[in-house]
Structures are given as C-alpha cells and as structure tokens.
C-alpha cells in the first residue's frame, strides 16, 4: 500500500533539514545524503521531491522567500511613495541571523548554474526587481526602470558583501547607503 505524503509538507521538511545541515556543517556539506540523514530516512525520501543538489538548495532558498515576502509586506504596511521605496530598499539591505546562511546557500545555488541552470531560482530576482519598479514608479522617479535596475544590483551586491565582510556591513551602514541611493534616484 503506497504511503500518502503531503508534497508541500515534505518539501518544507527538506528545506528545514537543508538549513540544519548548512548551519551545522556549512553550505558545501549540503548533499542529498546529508539531508536524508538529517530527516532520518533514505535518499529516495529526498530525491522524490528534489532530484539534484542544486534543486535541494533552491528548495531551501524558495522556502525562505515566502517568509521574506510576508515580512516585507508587514514592514511596508501603508507606506506610500518615497517612504515605501526607502523602506523596501532598507528591508532588502538588512541582515537577520538566518540571512547569512541563506546567502551562502544562494551563492552555492548560483555556482551550480553552469551545470544545472534549470534548477536555479530566477523567480525571486524578477519579483524583487518588479517590487523596485513599482515602488520607484509610485515614488515618482522619472526613469523607474533604471532605478529598479540600480536597486537590484545594489541589493545583490549587498548580499555578496555581507558574506565577504559581515562585520563591516552593519544594519546602520546598509541603511545609510540605502537612504543615499534612494535620495539620489529621487532627486534626479
């Protein structure tokens, strides 16, 4: 008799196990076998839902993205115009304890793009750029598309910078940069 498994719940469990392995042993230790061991099952328990290492990492990153979207919306609340744009950029330039771990996994995912490009998450960067575009338009920036591109590059560069020099990129420093960039875009 086949076992009835909730696919959404299993993917969430796999994402949590992936994060646990990465937190304990580092992102390079994330393998299908290590995640299966963390779950207390066989590799088939994982590969039935995420067939490759890149898919495994992408699954963990995507699980975090849904939490990020909820957090961002809560942070923005009823803000409008330039205030909403500033808050959006500042939120993207913040670092919570789990963020550094997820950024490390994100880099692992991207480094696999040449081998397994179909599994690389391309949805989140597009959604983020769209958020910046909408917020830039609402803030009255004449070239909202360019502003969205600048802000996308800024935030992606920040993600890498926080991995290179986490002590340097404090929340205060990142917020200062966010305000300066947004103010420059608004003033042009």
């Amino acid at each position: 008799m086949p076992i009835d498994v909730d696919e959404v719940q299993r993917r969430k469990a796999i994402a949590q196990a992936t994060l646990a392995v990465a937190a304990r042993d580092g992102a390079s230790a994330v393998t299908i076998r290590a995640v299966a061991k963390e779950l207390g099952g066989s590799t088939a328990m994982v590969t039935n839902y995420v067939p490759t290492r890149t898919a495994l990492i992408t699954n963990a990153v995507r699980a975090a993205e849904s939490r990020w979207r909820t957090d961002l919306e809560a942070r923005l609340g009823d803000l409008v115009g330039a205030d909403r744009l500033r808050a959006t950029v500042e939120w993207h330039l913040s670092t919570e304890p789990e963020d550094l771990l997820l950024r490390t996994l994100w880099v692992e995912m991207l480094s696999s793009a040449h081998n397994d490009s179909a599994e690389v998450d391309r949805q989140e960067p597009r959604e983020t750029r769209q958020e910046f575009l909408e917020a830039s338009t609402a803030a009255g920036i004449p070239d909202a598309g360019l502003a969205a591109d600048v802000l996308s590059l800024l935030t992606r560069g920040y993600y890498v910078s926080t991995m290179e020099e986490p002590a340097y990129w404090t929340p205060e420093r990142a917020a200062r940069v966010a305000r300066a960039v947004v103010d420059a875009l608004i003033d042009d």
Side-chain angles (χ1 to χ4, degrees), residues 4-75:
D4 189 25
V5 177
D6 180 339
E7 183 175 349
V8 172
Q9 288 304 100
R10 179 57 56 92
R11 285 182 175 275
K12 284 181 182 179
I14 291 169
Q16 290 171 344
T18 302
L19 291 175
V21 169
R24 184 183 60 242
D25 303 326
S28 61
V30 171
T31 63
I32 290 172
R33 187 176 310 280
V35 171
K37 183 178 178 184
E38 184 72 24
L39 288 168
S42 69
T43 56
M45 178 185 218
V46 175
T47 58
N48 285 339
Y49 302 93
V50 287
T52 67
R53 180 174 186 270
T54 303
L56 189 68
I57 293 169
T58 301
N59 179 61
V61 172
R62 283 186 179 148
E65 289 167 8
S66 65
R67 291 191 311 270
W68 292 337
R69 295 274 167 240
T70 301
D71 183 54
L72 176 59
E73 287 305 315
R75 175 81 57 93

Side-chain angles (χ1 to χ4, degrees), residues 89-90 93-94 158 168-179:
V89 176
E90 286 181 19
L93 297 184
S94 64
Y158 172 75
Y168 182 81
W169 288 105
T170 64
E172 297 79 21
R173 184 179 301 278
R176 183 172 178 245
V177 169
R179 284 189 300 274

Side-chain angles (χ1 to χ4, degrees), residues 103-116:
R103 288 178 188 147
T104 302
L105 287 172
W106 175 70
V107 168
E108 285 281 322
M109 177 185 68
L110 293 178
S111 70
S112 301
H114 68 283
N115 291 334
D116 202 0

